[in-house]
Amino acid sequence: QLTGKFEDLFFRIRNKGKLSPSDLDAALREIKLALLEADVNFKVVKEFLGNLKERALGKEVMESLTPYQQVIKIVNDEMTRMLGSSEGSVNFSSGGPTIFMMVGLQGTGKTSSVIKLANFIKSRFGKSVALVAADVYRPAAVLQLMDMAGKIGVDVYSEKSMDPVSISRKGVEKFTRDGRDAIIIDTAGRLHIDENMMLEVENIRKAVKPHQVYLVLDAMTGQEAVNIASAFNKRVECDGLILTKLDSDTRGGAALSVYYVVKKPIKFVSSGEKIEDFDIFHPERIASRILG
Amino acid sequence: WNKFKKSNSQFWEELEEQLISSDVSVDTADMIISNIREYAYSNNINDTGIIRDLLKKEIIKILNCGINEKLKFSGNPPSVYLIVGVNGVGKTSAIAKLAAMLKKQGKNVVMAAADTYRSAATEQLQHYGERLGIEVVHHQKLSDPGAVVYDSLDKALARRSDVLIIDTAGRMQTSFNLMEELKKIKRVVFKKLDRDPDEILIVIDSTTGQNARHQAEVFHRAIGLTGVILTKTDGTSKGGIVLTIKNELQIPVKLVTNGEKIENIDLFDPEKYTGAIFT
Ligand SMILES: Nc1nc2c(ncn2[C@@H]2O[C@H](COP(=O)(O)OP(=O)(O)OP(=O)(O)O)[C@@H](O)[C@H]2O)c(=O)[nH]1
Ligand SMILES: Nc1nc2c(ncn2[C@@H]2O[C@H](COP(=O)(O)OP(=O)(O)OP(=O)(O)O)[C@@H](O)[C@H]2O)c(=O)[nH]1
Ligand SMILES: [Mg+2]
Ligand SMILES: [Mg+2]
């Protein structure tokens, strides 16, 4: 499972029967470097290394005939555990439409993800989907959503008004009356430190009571990923994350850091600009990228 | 000295963490910290306040680059600025802000809507064009971006515009075809004006981690970058990767955007930027 840098490191020490303290320190330093270069939050790295060292100094490694293999196994186990499980699929509500809401920083891929999720629900589950265009700020945001929605034959509710709460409420009411199975709300990008905008998205949530609120997070986000996700989670209680732009070949340490701290599952990943570049999250794939 | 070293190993660790948590790469952070540490020891400096100031000065020194940080204007107008970068980082917004800034300085600006791919990209730029009273050259959706650029150069030359700013579609550095398309766009400018664009600026989102270095590297190798536009500095991320990019690729930051209003753009100020890393 471990590739690249890790493989060289452990290959170098594999023929040593015992794991000396200096060998272990060298290994831990290499792991720290790899994790930081992968954008894992430095506090998460510290904690991870602490746990790892503790286990490496314990019986399972020190009394093992193949100590280095034990360390690799521990690193791999810990990594996979820290990414959560694959809980990607959608649970639909039994009475009335299932309501989804996308939130996140500017430019992370919310609007694109609305379209991709709608297409996913339509094609995989055969359910009817409708969208609500609640971004009233960004120039041509509604046009962008409508243009993309037209390509997959999905309706969009929008208004000329500047009130995202009322737009969301009216959109959900209309599509509920029309008997849609799923309704997805697109919101404007916003900073987690913008009090007015965070209040707005809190109010949309209160008005509409979505079954699923997804934080759309750019996979190449750096050290601030944990703070960003924590802030959104605190204000709107996210049900999960959508990780986007994985085709940048970013290592994706942000994903691990966020799950470790916020404990909300990554539901979906987007790995391209096409509508079909959207899939359920698989933790093992991210684990091997981070350690890459 | 060993006493200072031991009792202050936490101090050095904290300095390093300050840089790492700002998304400076480990290599660049280590290089800077070890230079400072060596200087401090060999000059008997053990005041942590002074050391912190030395660190700031070192960072400012790396970010400063003399003449390169100013936007280049050509002797033969129009000056051409090509704006590139990965998806969603703030290219189109930065172009509108830059155009507004140049217009305020009395320059005649034209914008080229050469993102013919993404939904409503042209309309987004046209919205700004109408608001600012700046012409936006555009073709219909999915037309050839090179053709839009060619047409824009024609119009800018005919109108004797001072600056032409070209918006391009977001693209991952990992997409061979899209990077080739960018090379083609650059060639269109060269063929028409007999010189390369005066500025080729990569837009980098402050929230991006180490991948931004890879972005800069690949874009630079493909089309040659003259500078960075750092966006979304009004967030909590410090964009420290630009320090790595300057240190390792010698590409300077020229502009910074810090919000979603049209006036939220400034020339890059290394002192202000460095101060923000340490607050
Ligand atoms: N390569 C790639 N591009 C993506 C992916 N997801 C989204 N994008 C692109 O990223 C850019 C931004 O996407 P949007 O959907 O407009 O992002 P947004 O979060 O709605 O942006 P705001 O509404 O302005 O906050 C667009 O160019 C998308 O095509 C992905 O997984 N891979
Ligand atoms: N807070 C903040 N938001 C910004 C800044 N710059 C851009 N944005 C927002 O980021 C989002 C994306 O901006 P765009 O200009 O569409 O980005 P782009 O690079 O052209 O995107 P693509 O063309 O899809 O690749 C929009 O919601 C902008 O309002 C900034 O400096 N601060
Ligand atoms: Mg959007
Ligand atoms: Mg754009």
Side-chain angles (χ1 to χ4, degrees):
Chain A
Q1 275 282 46
L2 292 177
T3 57
K5 182 175 259 182
F6 275 39
E7 244 175 14
D8 310 329
L9 161 71
F10 287 110
F11 217 76
R12 270 182 278 133
I13 64 176
R14 80 185 301 155
N15 293 317
K16 304 188 177 187
K18 287 188 104 301
L19 197 66
S20 78
S22 64
D23 284 336
L24 180 61
D25 280 345
L28 290 177
R29 235 187 342 268
E30 293 284 318
I31 294 169
K32 174 182 175 190
L33 215 69
L35 293 178
L36 288 177
E37 284 172 0
D39 291 324
V40 179
N41 184 279
F42 80 99
K43 289 189 188 147
V44 174
V45 173
K46 258 182 162 170
E47 207 161 310
F48 179 80
L49 288 176
N51 297 340
L52 183 61
K53 184 165 190 173
E54 205 169 312
R55 282 183 71 177
L57 292 176
K59 280 182 157 192
E60 79 184 295
V61 172
M62 286 300 150
E63 298 186 3
S64 156
L65 292 175
T66 55
Y68 100 93
Q69 264 157 359
Q70 275 306 106
V71 175
I72 296 191
K73 182 174 174 305
I74 294 171
V75 170
N76 214 18
D77 290 348
E78 285 292 299
M79 283 266 114
T80 313
R81 191 180 62 81
M82 284 165 77
L83 281 164
S85 56
S86 178
E87 328 178 6
S89 202
V90 182
N91 293 326
F92 291 98
S93 91
S94 44
T98 308
I99 303 168
F100 301 84
M101 180 179 164
M102 304 290 197
V103 299
L105 293 181
Q106 291 88 346
T108 54
K110 295 175 295 301
T111 305
S112 322
S113 298
V114 166
I115 296 293
K116 285 167 174 164
L117 180 61
N119 184 59
F120 183 84
I121 290 174
K122 263 188 95 179
S123 52
R124 284 246 193 137
F125 299 94
K127 304 250 182 207
S128 64
V129 195
L131 314 177
V132 179
D135 178 354
V136 303
Y137 307 100
R138 176 186 164 128
V142 177
L143 191 65
Q144 178 194 8
L145 188 65
M146 290 190 145
D147 187 59
M148 294 201 266
K151 297 205 179 89
I152 56 169
V154 169
D155 290 337
V156 178
Y157 179 82
S158 70
E159 269 176 30
K160 281 282 185 242
S161 91
M162 290 290 290
D163 182 357
V165 179
S166 127
I167 293 172
S168 306
R169 193 184 306 117
K170 292 214 199 110
V172 169
E173 283 169 3
K174 164 165 172 35
F175 291 131
T176 304
R177 277 197 308 274
D178 295 351
R180 302 302 166 99
D181 300 318
I183 304 170
I184 311 176
I185 303 168
D186 186 22
T187 66
R190 69 203 62 228
L191 292 181
H192 52 300
I193 52 171
D194 184 335
E195 182 50 40
N196 288 335
M197 289 301 274
M198 292 308 283
L199 188 61
E200 172 187 287
V201 80
E202 240 178 23
N203 289 335
I204 296 177
R205 192 190 210 287
K206 285 198 192 118
V208 160
K209 301 195 181 43
H211 299 87
Q212 295 281 302
V213 176
Y214 294 146
L215 172 64
V216 179
L217 184 73
D218 192 323
M220 357 175 206
T221 307
Q223 294 285 315
E224 275 297 296
V226 170
N227 293 335
I228 294 162
S230 304
F232 272 96
N233 192 42
K234 227 194 232 129
R235 300 299 293 262
V236 279
E237 190 68 64
C238 303
D239 297 285
L241 273 88
I242 298 180
L243 209 56
T244 61
K245 307 185 200 172
L246 272 156
D247 49 318
S248 58
D249 277 359
T250 188
R251 304 261 295 277
L256 183 143
S257 312
V258 168
Y259 182 74
Y260 191 74
V261 175
V262 166
K263 294 279 182 287
K264 290 295 162 75
I266 298 169
K267 296 276 194 170
F268 300 98
V269 294
S270 168
S271 56
E273 288 196 81
K274 298 206 234 58
I275 288 187
E276 53 271 21
D277 295 326
F278 189 77
D279 203 2
I280 291 176
F281 171 68
H282 295 287
E284 333 74 46
R285 292 183 200 163
I286 298 285
S288 59
R289 280 172 81 107
I290 293 176
L291 295 174
Chain B
W1 271 117
N2 283 326
K3 180 158 164 293
F4 172 63
K5 275 189 193 175
K6 281 217 175 55
S7 66
N8 276 297
S9 65
Q10 189 185 342
F11 167 71
W12 293 111
E13 208 181 295
E14 283 175 6
L15 279 189
E16 189 198 27
E17 284 178 356
Q18 187 116 31
L19 295 181
I20 301 281
S21 64
S22 303
D23 289 316
V24 178
S25 67
V26 175
D27 286 347
T28 296
D30 279 351
M31 181 204 89
I32 296 175
I33 299 278
S34 59
N35 284 349
I36 298 298
R37 191 157 52 200
E38 200 171 312
Y39 183 86
Y41 290 169
S42 59
N43 286 284
N44 280 354
I45 302 171
N46 54 7
D47 178 314
T48 56
I50 293 183
I51 291 177
R52 219 173 268 276
D53 278 344
L54 285 174
L55 178 59
K56 283 189 190 162
K57 286 208 176 71
E58 180 72 1
I59 293 173
I60 291 170
K61 180 157 144 266
I62 293 173
L63 292 170
N64 262 321
C65 48
I67 57 167
N68 287 356
E69 71 216 11
K70 297 270 183 293
L71 283 175
K72 179 160 183 282
F73 290 97
S74 164
N76 299 320
S79 304
V80 178
Y81 298 163
L82 178 61
I83 310 300
V84 302
V86 305
N87 307 71
V89 292
K91 298 179 291 304
T92 307
S93 319
I95 288 167
K97 290 165 180 158
L98 178 58
M101 181 173 118
L102 293 170
K103 182 169 186 206
K104 242 185 175 174
Q105 296 171 5
K107 301 237 175 355
N108 213 304
V109 185
V110 176
M111 299 191 285
D115 175 357
T116 56
Y117 171 76
R118 115 171 232 166
S119 294
T122 300
E123 287 83 350
Q124 183 189 4
L125 198 59
Q126 280 177 311
H127 162 93
Y128 288 115
E130 285 165 23
R131 249 183 72 186
L132 301 169
I134 293 179
E135 173 167 15
V136 175
V137 178
H138 63 279
H139 289 188
Q140 65 177 352
K141 190 126 191 290
L142 296 184
S143 51
D144 172 28
V148 179
V149 173
Y150 190 89
D151 191 13
S152 315
L153 288 163
D154 264 345
K155 295 221 164 82
L157 286 164
R159 298 186 197 343
R160 299 168 181 276
S161 309
D162 297 306
V163 186
L164 168 66
I165 314 178
I166 304 172
D167 189 13
T168 60
R171 68 201 67 221
M172 287 305 171
Q173 72 278 22
T174 50
S175 162
F176 176 79
N177 291 340
L178 291 180
M179 295 310 290
E180 288 298 301
E181 178 184 270
L182 214 45
K183 288 183 188 170
K184 180 162 164 279
I185 290 176
K186 185 184 175 189
R187 277 199 297 276
V188 169
V189 177
F190 187 81
K191 283 199 195 134
K192 189 97 178 129
L193 299 183
D194 207 20
R195 69 172 199 275
D196 284 331
D198 302 286
E199 292 283 355
I200 302 182
L201 305 172
I202 185 172
V203 178
I204 291 187
D205 185 330
S206 291
T207 64
T208 309
Q210 300 306 303
N211 193 260
R213 187 204 177 288
H214 187 242
Q215 293 168 20
E217 192 178 346
V218 175
F219 274 81
H220 190 47
R221 208 168 40 231
I223 55 174
L225 301 172
T226 60
V228 169
I229 302 180
L230 182 64
T231 61
K232 308 181 196 171
T233 58
D234 46 321
T236 53
S237 299
K238 310 284 181 161
I241 198 67
V242 301
L243 187 58
T244 299
I245 290 172
K246 179 78 204 328
N247 182 45
E248 297 183 16
L249 301 171
Q250 286 79 50
I251 302 169
V253 180
K254 300 220 177 185
L255 296 162
V256 175
T257 71
N258 61 343
E260 296 189 83
K261 300 207 213 71
I262 203 81
E263 57 268 22
N264 292 141
I265 183 169
D266 290 305
L267 291 176
F268 181 59
D269 179 348
E271 305 231 349
K272 185 162 177 243
Y273 173 81
T274 306
I277 291 196
F278 287 93
T279 16

